[in-house]
Amino acid sequence: MDNIIAILPIEIKGFGIGCEVYYTSHIVKDKRSCELFLKHLCAKRAISVKLMHKRMKDILKVSRNLPYFIDSFNIFFPFKINETDHDNLRRAFVNAFYVENIKDSTIFLKNGSTLSSLNKDKSLKNNFNHASKVMYMALAKESTNFKKRLELYQSLNILDF
């Protein structure tokens, strides 16, 4: 499965509001809104969005613009992309793992693409910092679990040939 870089809202003629999902190798149009797409992505991995957001509020001490945590390499933070009357067309999401730099309300991605935002530079950087904090916490937790398993295997002499 390709990794998702960004999820941007679009208006699909004759249908309504959908999203464009940018993978590392291709782009897919989906008839679900960005939030619904992320909710279904969480459901595939047996993650409760309500419980996830409750944990994010406890960890980050914020109540708005919470990132979506799928796994340690798929953490999506929101940013404002359009000024429209529809709430579902305003917010896009980008994977924090693929963000290289944020400057002047523009998100620079590792693949060379850029995403323009209507957020101010400070709020955009705060959203990214919240997502990266959660990402580094998850990576640290996974590395300690890996070290514990490696020590167990070494104590059992399974890896010795």
Side-chain angles (χ1 to χ4, degrees):
M1 180 181 148
D2 287 337
N3 290 329
I4 299 172
I5 297 174
I7 305 166
L8 304 177
I10 59 168
E11 190 168 354
I12 300 172
K13 295 192 181 208
F15 178 75
I17 298 168
C19 66
E20 279 185 333
V21 183
Y22 290 80
Y23 291 94
T24 52
S25 61
H26 61 285
I27 300 169
V28 175
K29 286 187 180 181
D30 199 326
K31 291 188 175 182
R32 298 173 283 186
S33 67
C34 296
E35 289 87 1
L36 188 60
F37 180 84
L38 286 170
K39 182 180 176 184
H40 289 167
L41 192 62
C42 289
K44 277 186 189 175
R45 308 244 176 130
I47 299 169
S48 168
V49 175
K50 192 173 185 179
L51 184 60
M52 174 190 55
H53 280 299
K54 183 180 183 300
R55 287 182 184 156
M56 292 294 142
K57 285 180 186 178
D58 293 341
I59 292 170
L60 300 173
K61 307 294 187 231
V62 295
S63 61
R64 296 179 55 188
N65 294 328
L66 294 170
Y68 278 79
F69 176 80
I70 309 299
D71 59 25
S72 57
F73 293 108
N74 290 305
I75 299 173
F76 297 92
F77 69 92
F79 65 97
K80 192 174 184 181
I81 193 166
N82 295 330
E83 189 64 52
T84 63
D85 294 335
H86 299 288
D87 287 338
N88 290 340
L89 276 173
R90 289 184 189 165
R91 288 169 48 119
F93 293 86
V94 66
N95 193 339
F97 183 72
Y98 289 100
V99 174
E100 185 175 301
N101 193 10
I102 296 174
K103 186 176 182 181
D104 298 329
S105 298
T106 304
I107 302 169
F108 297 95
L109 301 175
K110 290 180 181 177
N111 65 356
S113 304
T114 60
L115 297 171
S116 304
S117 173
L118 296 178
N119 287 75
K120 293 182 180 176
D121 198 34
K122 184 178 177 183
S123 67
L124 199 57
K125 286 182 180 178
N126 281 339
N127 291 347
F128 172 70
N129 288 339
H130 292 320
S132 59
K133 178 181 178 181
V134 172
M135 181 173 63
Y136 291 131
M137 287 174 62
L139 287 172
K141 184 177 178 181
E142 286 180 8
S143 68
T144 57
N145 289 339
F146 179 75
K147 287 178 185 177
K148 287 178 185 177
R149 279 188 250 133
L150 185 62
E151 289 172 0
L152 175 67
Y153 291 146
Q154 287 174 347
S155 68
L156 296 174
N157 292 327
I158 293 174
L159 297 178
D160 295 333
F161 294 103

